[in-house]
Amino acid sequence: MPEVETRRRRFINFLLGTSLGATLIAITYPIIKFLVPPRVAESAASSVVAGKVSELPPNSGKIFKFGSRPGILIRTPTGEFRAFSAICTHLQCTVQYRPDLRQIWCACHNGHYDLNGRNIAGPPPRPLEKYVVNVRGDEIIVSRG
Amino acid sequence: MNTNQFQHHRRWRAGRSLAKLAATLMFVFSLIFVWSPSAEPTASGTDGSETPSGVNPAPAPALPSEPAMRTESGEKEKKDTCVQCHLEMGDELAAPVTAMQHDIHAQRGLSCADCHGGDPTEEDMDRAMDPRRGFVGRPTPGDIPRFCGKCHSNAEFMKKYNPRLRVDQEAEYFTSIHGKRLVQGDRKVATCISCHGYHGIRAVSDPQAPVYPTNVARTCGRCHANAGYLQSYAIPHDQLEKWQASVHAEALLKKNDLSAPTCNDCHGNHGAVPPGVTSVANVCGACHTRQAELFRKSPHKPAFDEMGLGECLVCHGNHEIHHPSDEMLGTGDEATCVACHSEGEPAYQAAETMRRMIDEMVQELNQAEALVDRAARAGMEVSRAKFELNDAHDKLINARVVVHTFSANELQKVIEPGLETAKKAHQMGVEALNELQFRRKGLAASLVVIFLAVMGLYLKIRQIERPGA
Amino acid sequence: MEAISKHGWLTWLSDRLGLDPLIALAREKEVPIHRHTIWYYFGGMTLFLFIVQVATGVLLLLYYRPSAETAFESVQFIMTEVSFGWLVRSIHSWSANLMIAMLFVHMFSVYLLKAYRPPRELTWITGVLLFFIVLAFGFSGYLLPWNKLAFFATKVGTEIAGVVPVIGHFLLRFLRGGDEVTGGTLTRFFGFHVAILPALATFVLTVHIWLVQRHGMSVPPSVERQAQNVKTMKFFPNFLLRDAMGWLIALGALAALAALFPWELGEKADPFAPAPAGIKPEWYFLFMFQTLRLLPSHILFIEGEVLGVLAFGLGAVFWLLVPFLDKESVRGERNGLFTLIGVVILLYIAVMTVVGYLS
């Protein structure tokens, strides 16, 4: 009897020890992983670094990621920076800057927007959503108005 | 001028003061109607029963008067005997006045005499409608362009009302098939009033106007879809029906996209003619610029010109333009390429290759989309993957445009980055699903461990509480 | 060190830290066994969930950014970019709700079993204070993700505070940090949630737990009257092992809830957007919210809402002072009235919560 009792006691202690140990690991593992810095260091707020001053000569433009949607950053022929949503208000194609026309242009159905984002020719029914642009050193920071 | 009308006229003279009061009240009432934005639509003037052939001859048009001056003087306005008298007479003689309630000209202060001439201050009918006082009555169809044009072709005059309005409609009209035939004496062709109506002409921007974009096709169709009316002409009458089945009609009528083309966007309005074989790409290219541009540089352009084929419409048709499908490309049953190219030609092979590339990209994109959707439904955060999918979709659209180079090499250049983006989105979908599996497995493992620990505790409690322990 | 045998490390520590009184307390402490023993576990359960809240809350602080421009995005960042961020945040949200539920059970069981009788008046009062603190935790924490629902729920909630006579306007401005709910309110609520309330909670909780150890478990009068000698079990290890079982089960439940039903983030708050239809507070405020909504606009001369707020204020004072009002129970007599009051309050809360959910 006592031998059975001892084996029983040992088994329970073993079960308890290992399972509690494993539980502890199940708790600490996510915590340690949580503490490890993530791939992207910062949460993407309502502003984003859209580009560098040096990469945009006057009369040019580029597409940048703004959250999960594309935005368009342009530098006017006079050197000003402006940013808009790059989603055409007609059928949601991505617009582009046309240095030859000095306009924002949608290739899908030949929609034209002026440098203030206003729809001036072609199918687009509305102007492009305008963003706020700030230049900090070489960085161009775009944020929602 | 029949007897019935004359009797009306005499009766009116008898009870003049009473009628005058009533007419004044009615005019004021009609003015209220004119200015009320929710005024009811009028059925007269624009319905299909009025074809140009029903119009009677009348004397030559009068000179434009100075109506703008008249509106400034309310005294004179009250004295519009045309309105008073015609309203009083009722029925069809009153119809032009009531119809005018919604007329853009009436809204701008013009009245009967400004088009028809005569003297609206004269209370005697004969003197008011005296041709010597410039009265013209009804213009004949042959006279109508000049009748409207006496104001609308006068830049000085139009400037007072709408400086932005064009004044070349009449000149354009005479370049159209309609205009040319009218000059030749054909009285069945369309003139200004066939499309714009009369006595109730609405501005083009008025959604109830027969020339508002969504109504244009029906307006043209009144003649061009009427087989009986077109019997004497050797032209088809199925264009309306075909256009209504097109992607453009769907955009215009169902999605209310006013930029989608209707009849006049390709054929012109006042200068309506079928576009020539060589100008088709220019017409379509007004919106589909890149396709037109690529097409012009492609080997098809000189070949089509040589054969006298109408550019875009060789593959896409004209009125019944469906949403283009990938099946139009390649060598399958629905492919348009095989109409000219047969097996063994290099072009036949190129068509096959291009179709294969597009198909590959579509397949990759669909797979990625399905995967990302699955992850999204399971509650995973996939906004990044969706951004990539969106980008890949843009690239697919671009690739479909680049097909118009008809060069497999050119297509390859845009397909490759597109495929890459689609694969990236695919990979993100896979990662999201893996993460989901990992979470579920992790949960299951921790629950097992926790369950064992609970069991262990239970056994331990039983052990220490056993009597004699 | 070679002398360290079984429990040797405990002696070693005890010698240095002076743990003997604690060990003695743990050895001596006993828990009565009767048909209401089950209710003893809910305090410990609430404490366990509170500890989970502290742990996950501290973790969230590493990535959370308390401003109108960044709060929503940082929570989104935690949910998507930080490994196991989804787990930590979901557990924090779920555990908060479970904790408040357990707190309700604990509080009402204590009330109905009359455990507030002398010498446990202060235990009751600190407990009720903890209840209020926890509600404040819930209210302030709800706004922190800065999503649409939270924004408008906070707006409505603080508006109700503004109804309080005399000090209402001050209270509203104090809570909002201004006249409107703005980014300033968010930063303020963050301060309440992670500094002021934790400081208060730590102090009151310490007193509460110390009082529980000092006075031991209360035996309900109904049990006391029936049996002379109530059976007991050792707190350590018997009761604590049972407690641990409950905690482990709670932990498993939290993990399952977080993994299978991750806490939603919703849409980012837009102060200029119109309020969405059907704004409701968290379930634990719903009975109060529903009461205020059902009250007529005027009762006699007073505005219905003002009366409602005053009534809840008085109710809170009554609840706090129960040990001094229930004289019969103090004398060990049966007091049906207070039991009835408790049952009525419980029923009222339950019915109003259900009505609030259905409407």
Side-chain angles (χ1 to χ4, degrees):
Chain A
M1 277 305 268
E3 200 192 322
V4 174
E5 188 59 37
T6 321
R7 265 168 53 196
R8 203 187 158 84
R9 182 186 292 266
R10 268 201 203 143
F11 167 72
I12 291 172
N13 284 346
F14 170 75
L15 177 67
L16 205 54
T18 46
S19 60
L20 282 180
T23 307
L24 205 64
I25 290 169
I27 294 169
T28 45
Y29 176 71
I31 292 178
I32 289 166
K33 288 287 273 186
F34 183 89
L35 294 175
V36 171
R39 278 178 303 183
V40 193
E42 228 180 341
S43 59
S46 52
S47 67
V48 70
V49 177
K52 295 220 159 86
V53 173
S54 51
E55 68 177 334
L56 271 181
N59 196 23
S60 66
K62 70 168 279 202
I63 297 289
F64 62 93
K65 254 188 211 182
F66 199 9
S68 62
R69 305 162 129 233
I72 184 165
L73 175 67
I74 58 168
R75 190 167 187 185
T76 65
T78 52
E80 250 183 278
F81 289 102
R82 289 183 193 155
F84 307 94
S85 156
I87 299 167
C88 181
T89 53
H90 180 227
L91 291 173
Q92 288 76 51
C93 291
T94 305
V95 298
Q96 54 186 284
Y97 184 71
R98 282 276 297 263
D100 52 340
L101 300 173
R102 304 196 163 183
Q103 279 172 357
I104 299 168
W105 180 66
C106 177
C108 282
H109 293 94
N110 199 22
H112 295 255
Y113 300 88
D114 69 10
L115 298 184
N116 286 310
R118 278 193 300 255
N119 47 320
I120 48 169
R126 282 184 307 281
L128 296 170
E129 191 191 338
K130 194 167 184 171
Y131 299 142
V132 176
V133 181
N134 286 299
V135 179
R136 219 181 283 158
D138 192 39
E139 283 183 341
I140 304 164
I141 292 136
V142 172
S143 50
R144 261 176 243 280
Chain B
M1 304 298 146
N2 50 34
T3 46
N4 183 28
Q5 197 175 329
F6 186 66
Q7 274 163 10
H8 271 295
H9 177 52
R10 284 173 95 180
R11 230 184 293 148
W12 172 69
R13 274 188 158 179
R16 196 161 84 181
S17 53
L18 189 67
K20 206 172 168 185
L21 180 68
T24 312
L25 281 174
M26 283 194 79
F27 185 77
V28 170
F29 188 65
S30 73
L31 272 182
I32 293 169
F33 253 100
V34 163
W35 290 110
S36 134
S38 59
E40 292 168 44
T42 166
S44 57
T46 58
D47 60 25
S49 64
E50 303 283 351
T51 53
S53 59
V55 182
N56 291 329
L63 285 166
S65 62
E66 287 290 329
M69 300 304 287
R70 284 191 331 103
T71 50
E72 281 162 27
S73 152
E75 194 66 30
K76 273 190 175 177
E77 206 176 358
K78 272 182 200 157
K79 264 203 163 180
D80 196 329
T81 54
C82 314
V83 171
Q84 288 171 3
C85 200
H86 272 262
L87 271 178
E88 167 66 11
M89 288 183 291
D91 295 334
E92 62 182 49
L93 285 167
V97 181
T98 42
M100 283 299 280
Q101 281 172 9
H102 304 290
D103 195 291
I104 178 79
H105 301 96
Q107 286 172 17
R108 294 298 176 92
L110 296 172
S111 192
C112 318
D114 296 308
C115 295
H116 295 284
D119 187 353
T121 61
E122 183 57 68
E123 295 193 355
D124 181 85
M125 187 180 82
D126 293 328
R127 272 182 285 168
M129 302 205 292
D130 189 342
R132 280 170 301 179
R133 293 184 188 223
F135 183 72
V136 270
R138 270 184 180 180
T140 61
D143 287 329
I144 283 178
R146 302 218 187 283
F147 185 84
C148 300
K150 78 191 174 208
C151 293
H152 278 275
S153 301
N154 185 340
E156 278 297 319
F157 182 79
M158 289 310 290
K159 226 188 276 180
K160 290 180 205 150
Y161 291 93
N162 185 352
R164 291 176 62 193
L165 208 64
R166 293 171 61 165
V167 290
D168 59 350
Q169 298 98 328
E170 190 190 348
E172 261 208 307
Y173 174 74
F174 285 112
T175 69
S176 75
I177 300 281
H178 295 138
K180 283 177 181 163
R181 293 193 74 103
L182 188 78
V183 171
Q184 288 162 12
D186 187 344
R187 291 294 176 262
K188 282 175 80 177
V189 293
T191 63
C192 316
I193 62 168
S194 317
C195 300
H196 291 280
Y198 52 89
H199 300 156
I201 299 171
R202 291 166 185 269
V204 181
S205 54
D206 183 334
Q208 286 178 27
V211 289
Y212 188 71
T214 50
N215 302 331
V216 165
R218 229 178 318 131
T219 302
C220 298
R222 288 216 309 262
C223 296
H224 282 275
N226 184 339
Y229 194 74
L230 294 182
Q231 220 164 21
S232 51
Y233 303 94
I235 54 172
H237 51 78
D238 57 355
Q239 300 98 321
L240 177 65
E241 200 185 327
K242 282 184 160 174
W243 175 82
Q244 276 168 342
S246 76
V247 65
H248 294 136
E250 193 188 310
L252 180 63
L253 303 178
K254 288 199 188 136
K255 297 180 189 159
N256 212 32
D257 179 350
L258 295 185
S259 69
T262 178
C263 315
N264 66 316
D265 290 295
C266 299
H267 295 283
N269 28 28
H270 302 109
V273 275
V277 159
T278 49
S279 54
V280 170
N282 286 333
V283 168
C284 303
C287 291
H288 302 279
T289 24
R290 287 202 59 222
Q291 289 90 332
E293 199 181 305
L294 295 174
F295 175 82
R296 273 188 222 111
K297 288 187 212 145
S298 80
H300 277 148
K301 169 72 177 162
F304 283 15
D305 283 352
E306 204 174 298
M307 289 187 278
L309 295 173
E311 306 193 322
C312 315
L313 59 86
V314 171
C315 299
H316 294 281
N318 43 14
H319 297 110
E320 198 175 358
I321 298 171
H322 291 296
H323 198 284
S325 70
D326 293 335
E327 277 71 41
M328 289 170 66
L329 178 67
T331 55
D333 291 338
E334 289 171 50
T336 54
C337 311
V338 290
C340 300
H341 300 290
S342 46
E343 213 168 341
E345 282 179 57
Y348 188 90
Q349 262 193 326
E352 258 181 347
T353 315
M354 284 162 71
R355 171 66 186 278
R356 206 172 45 239
M357 288 194 274
I358 293 278
D359 279 353
E360 190 187 356
M361 169 125 195
V362 169
Q363 205 188 349
E364 184 61 47
L365 191 60
N366 285 346
Q367 278 179 1
E369 226 155 28
L371 214 63
V372 172
D373 274 354
R374 228 173 80 202
R377 274 199 303 276
M380 302 302 292
E381 161 63 47
V382 286
S383 64
R384 267 155 193 276
K386 288 233 158 129
F387 181 89
E388 294 298 334
L389 275 181
N390 204 37
D391 193 17
H393 201 260
D394 265 7
K395 283 174 175 157
L396 176 62
I397 291 176
N398 185 36
R400 283 173 174 153
V401 171
V402 171
V403 166
H404 295 90
T405 58
F406 308 106
S407 152
N409 285 339
E410 290 297 320
L411 187 59
Q412 181 70 27
K413 281 184 208 160
V414 294
I415 280 283
E416 259 172 21
L419 267 179
E420 219 163 88
T421 314
K423 279 183 181 144
K424 209 160 133 193
H426 190 130
Q427 188 53 33
M428 285 176 170
V430 170
E431 274 168 25
L433 285 178
N434 284 346
E435 166 73 11
L436 186 72
Q437 282 309 310
F438 172 74
R439 282 185 194 185
R440 297 236 164 108
K441 279 181 193 153
L443 172 67
S446 349
L447 287 184
V448 165
V449 164
I450 288 171
F451 176 74
L452 286 177
V454 171
M455 283 304 297
L457 282 174
Y458 174 73
L459 293 173
K460 187 82 189 166
I461 292 166
R462 268 208 1 198
Q463 185 203 354
I464 59 174
E465 287 183 0
R466 183 171 307 160
Chain C
M1 292 291 275
E2 66 274 7
I4 292 177
S5 58
K6 202 184 175 197
H7 298 309
W9 55 272
L10 199 60
T11 331
W12 187 86
L13 263 185
S14 174
D15 285 349
R16 278 143 191 90
L17 294 175
L19 292 179
D20 283 336
L22 273 181
I23 293 166
L25 186 71
R27 286 225 172 94
E28 277 166 30
K29 187 173 169 163
E30 292 194 325
V31 178
I33 301 173
H34 48 77
R35 62 176 189 274
H36 291 307
T37 302
I38 178 99
W39 304 113
Y40 291 143
Y41 293 102
F42 284 92
M45 184 65 91
T46 310
L47 179 63
F48 170 73
L49 292 169
F50 182 79
I51 292 165
V52 171
Q53 284 307 88
V54 173
T56 50
V58 166
L59 288 176
L60 290 173
L61 267 180
L62 293 184
Y63 299 105
Y64 178 73
R65 302 167 134 201
S67 81
E69 290 76 35
T70 54
F72 181 85
E73 282 79 5
S74 67
V75 177
Q76 201 170 37
F77 179 75
I78 290 171
M79 293 292 279
T80 56
E81 291 296 325
V82 182
S83 20
F84 290 101
W86 59 274
L87 182 69
V88 175
R89 193 221 159 200
S90 292
I91 286 185
H92 193 72
S93 300
W94 274 114
S95 173
N97 283 277
L98 287 186
M99 173 173 75
I100 292 171
M102 292 302 120
L103 186 49
F104 268 102
V105 174
H106 176 53
M107 189 171 71
F108 276 96
S109 65
V110 164
Y111 177 89
L112 290 172
L113 297 175
K114 309 271 155 68
Y116 50 76
R117 290 166 301 141
R120 299 187 179 81
E121 300 97 322
L122 283 179
T123 322
W124 169 262
I125 288 173
T126 50
V128 172
L129 287 178
L130 278 173
F131 172 66
F132 295 153
I133 290 170
V134 163
L135 288 185
F137 263 123
F139 188 65
S140 57
Y142 191 55
L143 180 68
L144 299 187
W146 198 243
N147 59 26
K148 209 163 148 186
L149 280 180
F151 177 82
F152 285 104
T154 303
K155 210 169 164 167
V156 173
T158 46
E159 242 158 49
I160 290 170
V163 168
V164 178
V166 189
I167 57 162
H169 184 65
F170 167 77
L171 210 59
L172 179 138
R173 281 184 53 85
F174 175 79
L175 286 173
R176 290 185 176 177
D179 284 320
E180 289 297 324
V181 176
T182 60
T185 318
L186 175 69
T187 309
R188 203 172 177 78
F189 272 38
F190 176 72
F192 291 148
H193 193 80
V194 306
I196 297 172
L197 292 173
L200 283 176
T202 310
F203 175 70
V204 183
L205 186 60
T206 311
V207 175
H208 188 73
I209 290 171
W210 183 71
L211 287 171
V212 171
Q213 301 319 313
R214 181 161 158 68
H215 300 300
M217 306 299 208
S218 153
V219 179
S222 57
V223 176
E224 250 177 3
R225 276 194 291 274
Q226 279 166 14
Q228 243 64 36
N229 288 321
V230 181
K231 271 203 293 179
T232 61
M233 70 169 124
K234 288 260 179 218
F235 174 78
F236 184 87
N238 304 43
F239 187 79
L240 195 63
L241 284 176
R242 284 179 170 80
D243 251 351
M245 257 170 80
W247 298 345
L248 279 174
I249 291 168
L251 192 67
L254 280 179
L257 285 171
L260 300 178
F261 309 102
W263 203 265
E264 277 182 30
L265 182 53
E267 277 174 64
K268 186 175 174 171
D270 177 3
F272 303 111
I279 281 291
K280 277 175 193 165
E282 290 267 77
W283 62 269
Y284 39 88
F285 291 119
L286 202 53
F287 72 96
M288 290 192 265
F289 182 71
Q290 188 59 27
T291 306
L292 294 179
R293 208 158 53 163
L294 291 180
L295 282 175
S297 65
H298 279 85
I299 300 167
L300 298 174
F301 311 103
I302 311 167
E303 259 183 67
E305 211 175 26
V306 174
L307 204 71
V309 170
L310 280 178
F312 280 118
L314 279 178
V317 173
F318 163 80
W319 200 241
L320 203 61
L321 298 181
V322 157
F324 307 106
L325 299 173
D326 183 5
K327 301 252 163 52
E328 281 87 346
S329 292
V330 170
R331 279 181 250 121
E333 293 163 25
R334 204 186 277 270
N335 189 346
L337 178 66
F338 272 73
T339 308
L340 188 68
I341 290 173
V343 172
V344 166
I345 290 176
L346 210 51
L347 276 177
Y348 180 81
I349 291 176
V351 169
M352 276 303 179
T353 306
V354 171
V355 170
Y357 255 96
L358 296 181
S359 65

